[in-house]
Amino acid sequence: MLSEDQGNEIVIEVEDVPPEVQRHLPSNRIVPEKTLRLANSSFSMVSSTSDIDVTDAQTGSRRHHKRAKRSLRFSTSLTESFSQTLLSAESVGVDTPCPSHENIQGQKLIASLMSMTSRDRMKAIRNQPRSMEEKRNLRKMVDKEKSKQPHGTLELSCCAQCLNSISLAYRRPRSGLSELLDSVSLWQKTLKVIGGKFGTSVLSYFNFLRWLLKFNIFSFIVTFSFIIIPQLTVAERNTLRFTGLEFLTGAGYFTDTVMYYGFYTNSTIRHRIGGTSYHMQLAYIFTIGTCLVICLFSLLFSMARYFRNNFINPHIYSRGITKLIFCWDFTVTHERAVKLKQKNLSTEIRENLSEIRQENVKLTLNQRLTRLSAHLAAWVVSTGVAVACCVAVYYLAGNNSEFLESHRNPGAVLLLPFVVSCINLAVPRFYSAFRLVERYETPRQEVYMLLIRNIFLKISIIGILCYYWLNIVALAGESCWETLIGQEIYRLLLMDFVFSLADSFLGEFLRRIIGMHFIKSLGLQEFDIARNVLELIYAQTLVWIGTFFCPLLPFIQMITLFIMFYVKNISLMMNFQPPSKAWRASQMMTFFILLLFFPSFTGVLCTLAITIWRLKPSADCGPFRGLPFFIHSIYSWIDTLSTRPSYLWVVWIYQNLIGSVHFFFILTLIVLIITYLYWQITEGRKIMIRLLHEQIINEGKDKMFLIEKLTKLQDAEKRANPSSYALERRDVEQPSPFHAWGHDAAHDLRFRQSVQEGNPQA
């Protein structure tokens, strides 16, 4: 047998073949050495066999000489095919023309790319089904061909090139800033861990908490910049003594600080003669109004965005299977990141499978009637409990003034917040126990029902408290009733925060100890999403109402939310288990923001509107002292501007737009029409997505039907004409030239080996 090096040398010698064989070789192409090595290494049998056949041809065997020519012809055609493949991939940059189909397609692609703008060309190259190296080479070739164009053509597109360069220069910093914000996003890694271990349902609560934190940070920045800082520049020294009890009661030392409404001045701030003046009344009311308007548009925008992302989602029809199968990011190489990614994927698969299994569950008529009766009984009991709690709060608030007069203890003011916080802590837990009786088909329905019951309870309590503040406290003749309301809201917010901390550190921890050591059948509890979310909505509603009376409430809420995130995260990891029924909560954020908007935010707007338009400010404190109503500060400002010709356009806007009832009626009508059109477009898109999904399913069924029909026709043809089928089968089973040549070559190899064994000198 010959070695591999000898075989390669003989192949090079055999390339000098007769003219009848040279006709098979291309005349205008040079086969690279890499191609010959590839052909020899991939088809070593061809090389060795042709070597043996050439040796036999030198001994005079005609039969072996023919086989040698046939094997050489096959090797030559194979080498030519390899060279054509390599040349077709490199033909774009070679001067020698190549009439292949690939070359023509490449030239057409380059010509079409040259006629595009730079931005469209980049998009087209990016969408090409090629590797990154091929895309880079294609871009270089297009740039090279474009540089060969006449100078006049470049001058014509100078403006477009300038605009594209400006757009590119703007796009790069924007993408860099977006990547930077994503990298420093608050609690991004922690949220990924929570989502991977507990699923999207529990993750929705923490996302909502982070969203509210950003909300309060913005509100605090606005109020601090336009209300608190100007007041600090003219504030007098506080002479009251600090005892530490003020942190619980909110009274005492804090009364004469920028925390409450009564500390702010009603004069115009001017630090030097002839300097710029700052009107505190206008600043106070416009800052609060701007915060509320921005909150309104932010809520509307967030609802629309989450609705578009979660409800109009084609993944709800495909179950996101393609995302689960093809979404692995191979750039993730860190061990902890890989494990976290695996947990996220496994949790999402469990959620999808759980929803599919729940949809396939069908109940009988008796089961449906039983569940309907349980639902009605639970609603009757929950409504009765909520009404009883509201009545208790109403009577307690009505008698609170008499109680405070008879008890001069500073801690007596904590009675009303304590009772309200006890109700908010105990009643939602009582509602959560209804799940043992109701047994909803899906966990999502259970969360929705608990949210509705809890929001009815908490908003009713806040409504009763607002009635108490605006109709009893405000009309009681107190010296500074706005500050008293601010202190009440501060105590409610602080007491709710204290109860939440105690529930997390004591209640949930004790429940874990009982379930793990004493009553092991209970096990670990699951995270109550509805109760915890309603705590956030309740606190945020108090903050919106109290910002007018206590401008520092957004800062206090910002601190409490920051602490609550870490407390809830630690308690979640230690005291809770993942949901037993996994379910996707992609639509929960939309529902949370909807509840925050209505009835929470709309109720806040109604309360503040009554305060500003109907109530008389205190005569001895606050920026609006001495006015019949709060809104009269705006009226006085408009009257002042009407005497200045340069500001008449502001007066016209106020009289014809802001102060006009017809304008708000038309604006409301336009908003309703736009909302209806958007809803119709949404419904149409959902229907179209469903129809397209059904069409894809039907096309798959049609293909299966056609394949079955084709199979049946082939079977019938085989039975009708068995002789032609046997002939066709013989043709199919007949070995190809390469197979036959390989069989003969193997026979010659065995023959050659036997000859060499018989004659070692051969």
Coordinates of all heavy atoms in Angstrom, one line a residue, residues 383-419:
T383 N -69.0 41.9 50.8 CA -69.7 43.2 50.7 C -70.2 43.6 52.1 O -70.0 44.8 52.5 CB -70.8 43.2 49.7 OG1 -70.3 42.7 48.5 CG2 -71.4 44.6 49.6
G384 N -70.7 42.7 52.9 CA -71.2 43.0 54.2 C -70.1 43.4 55.1 O -70.2 44.3 55.9
V385 N -69.0 42.7 55.0 CA -67.8 43.0 55.9 C -67.3 44.4 55.5 O -66.9 45.2 56.4 CB -66.7 41.9 55.7 CG1 -65.4 42.4 56.4 CG2 -67.2 40.6 56.3
A386 N -67.2 44.7 54.2 CA -66.7 46.0 53.8 C -67.6 47.1 54.3 O -67.2 48.2 54.8 CB -66.6 46.1 52.3
V387 N -68.9 46.9 54.2 CA -69.9 48.0 54.7 C -69.8 48.1 56.2 O -69.8 49.3 56.7 CB -71.3 47.6 54.3 CG1 -72.3 48.5 55.0 CG2 -71.5 47.6 52.8
A388 N -69.6 47.1 57.0 CA -69.5 47.2 58.4 C -68.2 47.9 58.8 O -68.2 48.8 59.7 CB -69.4 45.8 59.0
C389 N -67.1 47.7 58.1 CA -65.8 48.4 58.3 C -66.0 49.9 58.0 O -65.5 50.7 58.8 CB -64.7 47.8 57.5 SG -64.3 46.1 58.0
C390 N -66.6 50.2 56.9 CA -66.8 51.6 56.6 C -67.7 52.3 57.6 O -67.4 53.5 58.0 CB -67.5 51.7 55.2 SG -66.4 51.2 53.8
V391 N -68.7 51.7 58.1 CA -69.6 52.3 59.1 C -68.7 52.5 60.4 O -68.9 53.6 61.1 CB -70.8 51.4 59.4 CG1 -71.6 51.9 60.6 CG2 -71.7 51.4 58.2
A392 N -67.9 51.6 60.8 CA -67.1 51.7 62.0 C -66.1 52.9 61.8 O -65.9 53.7 62.7 CB -66.3 50.4 62.2
V393 N -65.5 53.0 60.7 CA -64.6 54.1 60.4 C -65.3 55.5 60.4 O -64.8 56.5 61.0 CB -63.8 53.9 59.1 CG1 -63.0 55.2 58.7 CG2 -62.9 52.7 59.2
Y394 N -66.5 55.5 59.9 CA -67.3 56.7 59.9 C -67.6 57.2 61.3 O -67.4 58.4 61.6 CB -68.6 56.5 59.1 CG -69.5 57.7 59.0 CD1 -69.3 58.8 58.2 CD2 -70.6 57.7 59.8 CE1 -70.1 59.9 58.2 CE2 -71.5 58.8 59.8 CZ -71.2 59.9 59.0 OH -72.1 61.0 59.0
Y395 N -68.1 56.3 62.1 CA -68.4 56.8 63.5 C -67.2 57.1 64.3 O -67.2 58.0 65.1 CB -69.2 55.7 64.2 CG -70.7 55.7 63.8 CD1 -71.2 54.7 62.9 CD2 -71.6 56.6 64.3 CE1 -72.5 54.8 62.5 CE2 -72.9 56.7 64.0 CZ -73.4 55.7 63.1 OH -74.7 55.7 62.7
L396 N -66.1 56.4 64.1 CA -64.9 56.7 64.8 C -64.3 58.0 64.3 O -63.9 58.8 65.2 CB -63.8 55.6 64.5 CG -62.5 55.8 65.2 CD1 -62.7 55.8 66.7 CD2 -61.5 54.7 64.8
A397 N -64.4 58.3 63.0 CA -63.9 59.6 62.6 C -64.8 60.8 63.1 O -64.3 61.9 63.4 CB -63.8 59.6 61.0
G398 N -66.1 60.5 63.1 CA -67.0 61.6 63.6 C -66.8 61.9 65.1 O -67.0 63.1 65.5
N399 N -66.4 60.9 65.9 CA -66.2 61.2 67.3 C -64.7 61.4 67.6 O -64.4 61.5 68.8 CB -66.7 60.0 68.1 CG -68.2 59.8 67.9 OD1 -69.0 60.7 67.8 ND2 -68.6 58.5 67.9
N400 N -63.9 61.5 66.6 CA -62.5 61.7 66.9 C -62.1 63.0 67.5 O -61.3 63.1 68.4 CB -61.7 61.5 65.5 CG -60.2 61.4 65.8 OD1 -59.7 60.7 66.6 ND2 -59.5 62.2 65.0
S401 N -62.8 64.1 67.1 CA -62.6 65.4 67.6 C -62.9 65.4 69.1 O -62.1 65.9 70.0 CB -63.4 66.4 66.9 OG -63.1 66.4 65.5
E402 N -64.0 64.8 69.5 CA -64.4 64.8 70.9 C -63.4 63.9 71.7 O -63.0 64.3 72.9 CB -65.8 64.2 71.1 CG -66.9 65.1 70.4 CD -68.2 64.5 70.5 OE1 -68.3 63.4 71.1 OE2 -69.2 65.1 70.0
F403 N -62.9 62.8 71.1 CA -62.0 62.0 71.8 C -60.7 62.7 72.0 O -60.1 62.6 73.1 CB -61.8 60.7 71.0 CG -60.7 59.8 71.5 CD1 -61.0 59.0 72.6 CD2 -59.4 59.8 71.0 CE1 -60.1 58.1 73.1 CE2 -58.5 58.9 71.5 CZ -58.8 58.1 72.6
L404 N -60.2 63.5 71.1 CA -59.0 64.2 71.2 C -59.1 65.3 72.2 O -58.1 65.7 72.9 CB -58.5 64.8 69.9 CG -58.1 63.8 68.8 CD1 -57.8 64.5 67.5 CD2 -57.0 62.9 69.3
E405 N -60.3 65.9 72.4 CA -60.4 67.0 73.4 C -60.4 66.4 74.8 O -59.9 67.1 75.7 CB -61.8 67.7 73.1 CG -61.8 68.6 71.8 CD -63.1 69.2 71.6 OE1 -64.0 69.0 72.4 OE2 -63.2 70.0 70.6
S406 N -61.0 65.2 74.9 CA -61.0 64.6 76.3 C -59.7 63.9 76.7 O -59.4 63.7 77.8 CB -62.1 63.6 76.4 OG -62.0 62.6 75.4
H407 N -58.8 63.6 75.7 CA -57.6 63.0 75.9 C -56.5 63.9 75.4 O -56.3 64.0 74.2 CB -57.5 61.6 75.3 CG -58.5 60.6 75.8 ND1 -59.8 60.6 75.5 CD2 -58.3 59.6 76.7 CE1 -60.5 59.7 76.1 NE2 -59.6 59.0 76.9
R408 N -55.7 64.5 76.3 CA -54.7 65.4 75.9 C -53.4 64.7 75.6 O -52.4 65.4 75.3 CB -54.5 66.5 77.0 CG -55.7 67.4 77.1 CD -55.9 68.2 75.8 NE -57.1 69.1 76.0 CZ -57.5 69.9 75.0 NH1 -56.8 69.9 73.8 NH2 -58.5 70.7 75.2
N409 N -53.3 63.4 75.7 CA -52.1 62.7 75.5 C -51.7 62.8 74.0 O -52.5 62.6 73.1 CB -52.3 61.2 75.8 CG -51.0 60.4 75.7 OD1 -50.0 60.9 75.5 ND2 -51.1 59.1 76.0
P410 N -50.4 63.1 73.7 CA -50.0 63.3 72.3 C -50.2 62.0 71.4 O -50.4 62.1 70.2 CB -48.5 63.6 72.4 CG -48.4 64.2 73.7 CD -49.3 63.5 74.6
G411 N -50.2 60.8 72.1 CA -50.4 59.6 71.3 C -51.8 59.3 71.0 O -52.1 58.3 70.3
A412 N -52.8 60.1 71.5 CA -54.2 59.8 71.2 C -54.5 60.0 69.8 O -55.5 59.5 69.3 CB -55.1 60.7 72.1
V413 N -53.7 60.8 69.1 CA -54.0 61.1 67.7 C -53.8 59.9 66.8 O -54.2 59.8 65.6 CB -53.2 62.3 67.2 CG1 -53.6 63.6 67.9 CG2 -51.7 62.0 67.4
L414 N -53.1 58.8 67.3 CA -52.8 57.6 66.6 C -54.0 56.6 66.6 O -53.9 55.5 66.0 CB -51.6 57.0 67.1 CG -50.3 57.8 67.0 CD1 -49.1 57.0 67.7 CD2 -49.9 58.1 65.6
L415 N -55.1 56.9 67.3 CA -56.2 55.9 67.4 C -56.8 55.7 66.1 O -57.0 54.5 65.7 CB -57.2 56.4 68.4 CG -58.5 55.5 68.5 CD1 -58.1 54.2 69.1 CD2 -59.5 56.2 69.5
L416 N -57.2 56.7 65.4 CA -57.9 56.6 64.0 C -56.9 55.9 63.0 O -57.4 54.9 62.4 CB -58.3 57.9 63.5 CG -59.1 57.9 62.2 CD1 -60.3 57.1 62.2 CD2 -59.4 59.3 61.7
P417 N -55.7 56.3 62.9 CA -54.8 55.6 61.9 C -54.6 54.1 62.4 O -54.5 53.2 61.5 CB -53.5 56.4 62.0 CG -53.9 57.7 62.4 CD -55.0 57.5 63.4
F418 N -54.6 53.8 63.7 CA -54.3 52.5 64.1 C -55.5 51.6 63.7 O -55.4 50.5 63.2 CB -54.1 52.5 65.6 CG -53.9 51.1 66.2 CD1 -52.7 50.5 66.2 CD2 -55.0 50.4 66.8 CE1 -52.5 49.2 66.7 CE2 -54.8 49.2 67.4 CZ -53.6 48.6 67.3
V419 N -56.7 52.1 63.9 CA -57.9 51.3 63.6 C -58.0 51.0 62.1 O -58.3 49.9 61.6 CB -59.2 52.0 64.1 CG1 -60.4 51.2 63.7 CG2 -59.2 52.0 65.7

